[in-house]
Amino acid sequence: MSGASPVIRQNLSVAEQYLFSAANAERARYGVQPLRWSPGLYRAASRHAWLMAERGAISHQFPGEPDLKERGAAEGLRFSEIAENVAEAPTAVLIQQAWLHSPEHRRNMLDPAVDSVAIRVVQGEGGELFAVEDFDRTVSDLSLAQQEQQVGRLLDSVSSIQVLPGAEEARQTCRMDSGYAGPRHPLFVMRFTAVKLDRLPSQLRQRLATGRYRQAEVGACPVGPSEGFSMYSIAVLLYR
């Protein structure tokens, strides 16, 4: 196996199918939402599983190997949470039992904060199975316009404020550390980052609740992953 460049298989093995089903069955037992299968996580897990099998040892990171966050980002994944279980055992059943009897591994499997998983199982030269189970919470890949539309809907849902069309000045403001872009003076500027655009920051909701503001502009701007993690960057400008 050593020295070969393994081909990442598209079809799951029986062991991988079993561990995927077993993980979701355990989550269902405790009322946790099921995990989606992630092809990107599978690619990341596959490379690491082959390394474990080649070395005949389990580890979350070998010398010279990227860490878990970097491995996920290298596969184009956008995530706000990422975690990993590894194991070595003769059978998939024993791998699952080992994970369930380890508090840390069990916690990863039952974590409600993650929503995706992939499991890669590779057989070593001595017949042992080496397994990698990667989890993440996927961050949707929304365009800047889609991010702005989503925040605009949130503003509509909590206030009667008019969300102005066109967001170029708000986008410029989003890129700034302080101040604002454009000739019009906003009464309040809120910049925030989030891993999900499902809720406005509490400070912004409190401002809107005063009824002082009649119009708003929303601008989104790109933000690079922070230590492998992904998020959205938003600016909201409020006007009288």
Side-chain angles (χ1 to χ4, degrees):
M1 211 180 308
S2 198
S5 296
V7 176
I8 299 175
R9 299 177 302 187
Q10 299 301 310
N11 296 324
L12 303 188
S13 67
V14 172
E16 291 160 355
Q17 293 178 44
Y18 165 77
L19 290 169
F20 177 49
S21 297
N24 274 334
E26 192 68 17
R27 288 171 72 90
R29 181 182 173 192
Y30 289 93
V32 186
Q33 79 276 9
L35 296 165
R36 298 189 299 267
W37 185 263
S38 168
L41 279 178
Y42 186 73
R43 293 191 297 271
S46 182
R47 298 180 190 283
H48 187 60
W50 276 103
L51 284 176
M52 294 199 310
E54 289 174 354
R55 287 161 173 75
I58 60 173
S59 173
H60 289 291
Q61 184 180 16
F62 292 104
E65 182 191 19
D67 67 14
L68 175 60
K69 298 185 296 293
E70 294 171 318
R71 296 199 299 268
E75 297 300 338
L77 299 173
R78 291 174 55 86
F79 49 86
S80 59
E81 303 276 349
I82 192 164
E84 182 175 76
N85 290 343
V86 297
E88 174 189 0
T91 68
V93 172
L94 291 176
I95 288 171
Q96 178 68 2
Q97 290 178 359
W99 283 338
L100 291 179
H101 286 91
S102 163
E104 182 179 353
H105 293 83
R106 183 182 179 85
R107 184 163 54 248
N108 287 340
M109 191 180 299
L110 297 178
D111 188 356
V114 298
D115 59 17
S116 302
V117 70
I119 303 109
R120 186 66 162 107
V121 179
V122 174
Q123 189 173 45
E125 292 180 354
E128 286 283 285
L129 299 181
F130 293 84
V132 177
E133 184 175 49
D134 284 346
F135 308 88
D136 78 5
R137 184 175 189 89
T138 303
V139 174
S140 299
D141 193 11
L142 303 178
S143 68
L144 296 183
Q146 289 172 325
Q147 295 173 41
E148 291 157 359
Q149 291 166 5
Q150 175 60 19
V151 175
R153 287 191 287 269
L154 292 174
L155 291 169
D156 286 338
S157 71
V158 299
S159 72
S160 58
I161 199 167
Q162 177 190 9
V163 180
L164 300 173
E168 187 51 43
E169 291 174 353
R171 287 183 180 181
Q172 294 178 31
T173 300
C174 181
R175 297 185 184 97
M176 299 165 59
D177 293 329
S178 62
Y180 61 92
R184 189 177 181 189
H185 176 64
L187 295 181
F188 179 73
V189 177
M190 179 78 187
R191 295 178 181 84
F192 65 94
T193 57
V195 296
K196 291 180 66 178
L197 295 178
D198 60 349
R199 185 177 177 84
L200 297 173
S202 58
Q203 184 183 3
L204 181 55
R205 296 199 307 272
Q206 291 168 6
R207 286 277 181 166
L208 293 168
T210 66
R212 295 179 57 203
Y213 310 101
R214 297 183 180 277
Q215 295 179 324
E217 290 181 348
V218 180
C221 56
V223 56
S226 174
E227 297 182 352
F229 294 93
S230 304
M231 59 184 63
Y232 305 111
S233 184
I234 305 292
V236 177
L237 287 66
L238 301 182
Y239 303 97
R240 191 181 299 278

